[in-house]
């Protein structure tokens, strides 16, 4: 009896191991640095909880997952197949091991994966996926708070359905998308690719060497044609024209995630001899002015507006200092709030713009000498501190001194609603319309009152007597 129970227990253990197991496989065993790999977890029994992906931390980054279930009946036997697909981004090169993963009490076997360095990796365009992402920096060494252009190019032969290019990341830096995306075609090794180019501008805030830039990535969906021979044979007997209809009928979307190669950056600090100066690192800077009115003679108490515009390449508008213009002998200055903005030129990059107006009021007759304006900035191309200047300008004020009110204190009269000439000339039409409306309302009121006072008709007695 004991022997029979032992055999039954062994049979139960073997059946559980045979029909309630989980397995782990990868879509490919060799990938390039920065390229994703699909991890497939399969189970033959129903799972109500998610697997524990904690052992993957440190060597891999999870970039999305999907689940599926398939149930079939063969010879009256019901079987199910559960599957979880996870996109993994290797964080290291060399031979990595996907450790055993626990899925609701069951454990998978370890899986080996080879990650080739970017320098010795087989080019992605030689593989079947046909998706490649590259990145480039405008410079490997920059000054803190100066402009750095990060360019991403996504090469596609699969057909992108939807997705986004995720920006690069750098600790302690301000990163913004630059301009609009460009789309064009390119030839690589005799193959034609659809290329999407996107640029980001990075402003490092902290100095340091060998700073690691987390590279940009693409996350989205592409067309993945099925290559099953059975599917293709189903179309052949009907004489469908080759692969065109086959691809249209059998294509499906596949989630992809590819990352560019990591890069390092050196950020130089502000030169110590420039302490006390406004730190404005730019590639070039221009300063212009305009006067309104433009004539050389102005009246005492009348406003003269001086508008100064600064354009600096390679900086944000918020990095520009506020332009200052003090009062002078014989005139008063009322500055307006500065207007700061950003612009983008295809071959010039980011341009920071500041525009500020100053209202100048002459107080006495004579020569009004508007003072010069200067702005110091650091030329990142030459590595030298430079100064942009606007010269002084002279105007002749005429007239007698008068009480001058600052522009902010002058209030415009409250606007009054103008009377339409149409309303004046056609007032009798409005009167006639109102009279008609009043008569119509009176007629309707009289009609409803007559209906209420009309005597009610007597009803005939019911034919059927009421039940008690």
């Amino acid at each position: 009896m004991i022997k029979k129970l032992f055999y039954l227990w062994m049979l139960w253990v073997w059946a559980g191991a045979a029909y309630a197991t989980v397995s782990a496989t990868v879509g490919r065993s060799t990938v390039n640095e920065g390229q994703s790999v699909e991890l497939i977890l399969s189970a033959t029994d129903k799972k109500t909880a998610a697997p524990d992906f904690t052992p993957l931390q440190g060597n891999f980054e999870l970039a999305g997952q999907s689940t599926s279930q398939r149930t079939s009946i063969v010879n009256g036997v019901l079987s199910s197949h559960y599957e979880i697909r996870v996109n993994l981004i290797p964080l290291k090169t060399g031979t990595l091991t996907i450790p055993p993963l626990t899925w609701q009490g069951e454990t998978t076997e370890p899986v080996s994966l080879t990650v080739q360095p970017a320098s010795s990796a087989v080019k992605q365009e030689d593989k079947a996926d046909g998706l490649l992402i590259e990145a480039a920096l405008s410079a490997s060494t920059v000054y803190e708070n100066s402009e750095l252009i990060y360019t991403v190019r996504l090469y596609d032969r699969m057909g992108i359905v939807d997705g986004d290019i995720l920006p690069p990341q750098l600790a302690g830096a301000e990163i913004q998308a630059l301009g609009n995306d460009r789309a064009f075609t390119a030839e690589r090794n005799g193959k034609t690719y659809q290329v999407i180019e996107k640029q980001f501008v990075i402003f490092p805030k902290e100095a340091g060497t060998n700073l690691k830039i987390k590279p940009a990535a693409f996350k989205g969906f592409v067309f993945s044609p099925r290559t099953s021979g059975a599917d293709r044979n189903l179309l052949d007997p009907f004489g469908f024209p080759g692969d065109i209809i086959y691809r249209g009928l059998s294509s499906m979307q596949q989630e992809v995630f590819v990352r560019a190669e990591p890069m390092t950056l050196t950020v130089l600090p502000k030169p110590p001899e420039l302490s006390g100066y406004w730190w404005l690192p730019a590639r070039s800077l221009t300063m212009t002015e305009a006067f309104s009115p433009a004539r050389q003679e102005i009246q005492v108490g009348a406003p003269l507006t001086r508008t100064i515009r600064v354009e600096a390449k390679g900086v944000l508008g918020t990095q520009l200092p506020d332009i200052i213009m003090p009062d002078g002998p014989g005139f008063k200055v009322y500055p307006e709030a500065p207007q700061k903005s950003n612009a983008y030129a295809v071959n010039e990059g980011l341009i920071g713009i500041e525009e500020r107006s100053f209202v100048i009021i002459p107080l006495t007759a004579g020569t009004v000498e508007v003072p010069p304006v200067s702005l110091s900035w650091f030329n990142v191309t030459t590595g030298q501190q430079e100064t942009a200047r606007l010269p002084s300008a002279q105007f002749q004020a005429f007239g007698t001194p008068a009480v001058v009110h600052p522009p902010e204190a002058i209030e415009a009269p409250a606007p009054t609603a103008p009377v339409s000439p149409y309303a004046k000339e056609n007032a009798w039409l409005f009167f006639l319309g109102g009279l008609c409306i009043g008569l119509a309302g009176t007629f309707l009121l009289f009609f409803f009152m007559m209906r209420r006072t009309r005597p009610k008709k007597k009803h005939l007695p019911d034919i059927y007597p009421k039940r008690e």
Side-chain angles (χ1 to χ4, degrees):
M1 183 65 181
I2 296 177
K3 191 174 183 179
K4 290 182 179 180
L5 291 176
F6 176 76
Y7 286 146
L8 289 175
W9 178 79
M10 290 294 294
L11 181 63
W12 177 80
V13 171
W14 175 84
Y19 296 102
T21 59
V22 296
S23 62
T25 58
V26 290
R28 47 190 171 183
S29 59
T30 302
V31 295
N32 299 336
E33 183 180 6
Q35 196 174 16
S36 66
V37 63
E38 189 176 51
L39 172 64
I40 306 171
L41 301 180
S42 303
T44 56
D45 63 334
K46 186 175 182 180
K47 301 296 182 183
T48 57
D52 181 15
F53 294 114
T54 305
L56 296 175
Q57 297 178 358
N59 290 334
F60 300 93
E61 176 183 342
L62 276 67
Q65 66 182 46
S66 61
T67 59
S68 63
Q69 175 184 352
R70 184 175 68 254
T71 304
S72 60
I73 301 177
V74 180
N75 296 329
V77 179
L78 178 66
S79 62
S80 299
H81 181 79
Y82 299 85
E83 195 173 82
I84 293 181
R85 294 175 177 264
V86 184
N87 275 331
L88 299 180
I89 307 297
L91 301 179
K92 300 178 182 179
T93 59
T95 301
L96 303 181
T97 299
I98 299 177
L101 302 177
T102 302
W103 191 4
Q104 201 166 337
E106 299 182 65
T107 305
T108 65
E109 295 293 330
V111 180
S112 179
L113 179 67
T114 301
V115 182
Q116 297 180 347
S119 58
S120 60
V122 179
K123 292 185 178 181
Q124 288 180 325
E125 58 261 34
D126 295 333
K127 290 185 169 291
D129 56 359
L131 195 64
L132 171 68
I133 186 171
E134 295 179 345
L137 288 175
S138 59
S140 58
T141 302
V142 295
Y143 286 91
E144 58 179 323
N145 288 327
S146 63
E147 176 193 63
L148 177 67
I149 304 298
Y150 186 99
T151 304
V152 185
R153 293 185 182 92
L154 182 66
Y155 295 82
D156 170 46
R157 286 196 308 114
M158 300 179 65
I160 295 176
V161 181
D162 190 14
D164 295 305
I165 295 179
L166 307 180
Q169 298 179 19
L170 177 62
E174 183 176 354
I175 301 176
Q176 297 182 8
L178 186 61
N180 299 321
D181 297 352
R182 294 179 59 231
F184 54 93
T185 59
E187 296 287 336
R188 295 174 67 99
N189 296 335
K191 299 176 183 179
T192 302
Y193 287 83
Q194 298 294 327
V195 185
I196 299 176
E197 181 181 279
K198 190 178 185 68
Q199 288 187 324
F200 298 90
V201 58
I202 304 177
F203 291 94
K205 301 296 182 182
E206 300 176 359
T209 58
N210 295 326
L211 301 179
K212 294 183 178 180
I213 300 178
K214 187 176 181 180
F218 172 77
K219 182 180 181 181
F221 295 88
V222 298
F223 283 114
S224 177
R226 300 171 183 170
T227 56
S228 171
D231 291 341
R232 183 183 297 275
N233 293 333
L234 290 175
L235 302 178
D236 292 342
F238 300 96
F240 286 105
D243 289 343
I244 298 178
I245 295 183
Y246 166 72
R247 287 196 299 265
L249 294 177
S250 62
S251 63
M252 61 180 180
Q253 295 184 16
Q254 175 186 355
E255 186 178 12
V256 294
F257 186 97
V258 290
R259 188 185 293 279
E261 301 174 10
M263 298 180 180
T264 58
L265 177 68
T266 299
V267 180
L268 302 177
K270 172 184 175 182
E273 63 271 14
L274 297 181
S275 60
Y277 287 89
W278 182 276
W279 177 241
L280 183 61
R283 289 183 282 108
S284 66
L285 186 143
T286 59
M287 187 162 53
T288 58
E289 65 179 352
F291 289 92
S292 178
R295 57 180 180 270
Q296 294 295 321
E297 294 184 353
I298 55 177
Q299 186 176 3
V300 173
L304 171 66
T305 303
R306 184 188 196 184
T307 302
I308 299 177
R309 180 182 177 90
V310 178
E311 294 188 5
K313 296 180 181 180
V315 300
L316 295 170
T318 54
Q319 293 179 257
L320 297 173
D322 293 345
I323 304 172
I324 298 175
M325 178 179 169
D327 298 334
F331 65 90
K332 188 75 174 176
V333 176
Y334 299 94
E336 297 181 357
Q339 304 295 323
K340 300 182 180 183
S341 61
N342 300 318
Y344 171 75
V346 176
N347 297 323
E348 298 179 356
L350 186 69
I351 303 174
I353 301 173
E354 178 185 356
E355 193 168 271
R356 191 174 194 182
S357 296
F358 302 87
V359 178
I360 305 170
I361 306 294
L363 303 179
T364 59
T367 301
V368 175
E369 185 171 355
V370 179
V373 175
S374 61
L375 178 61
S376 296
W377 61 285
F378 183 79
N379 192 326
V380 296
T381 304
T382 62
Q384 300 293 327
Q385 182 81 349
E386 298 184 13
T387 302
R389 291 184 175 88
L390 292 176
S392 62
Q394 291 185 350
F395 296 85
Q396 295 298 322
F398 62 91
T400 56
V403 179
V404 178
H405 298 279
E408 293 82 0
I410 301 177
E411 297 183 358
T416 57
V419 180
S420 173
Y422 177 82
K424 292 181 179 180
E425 297 176 1
N426 301 280
W428 64 275
L429 291 177
F430 291 99
F431 173 76
L432 182 60
L435 181 61
C436 292
I437 293 174
L439 292 176
T442 304
F443 174 77
L444 290 175
L445 180 63
F446 178 76
F447 175 76
F448 284 114
M449 291 182 63
M450 290 296 295
R451 286 180 58 88
R452 293 182 60 182
T453 56
R454 184 179 299 176
K456 298 182 179 179
K457 295 182 179 180
K458 296 182 179 181
H459 296 280
L460 296 176
D462 296 334
I463 299 177
Y464 301 100
K466 298 182 179 179
R467 292 185 179 184
E468 298 296 336

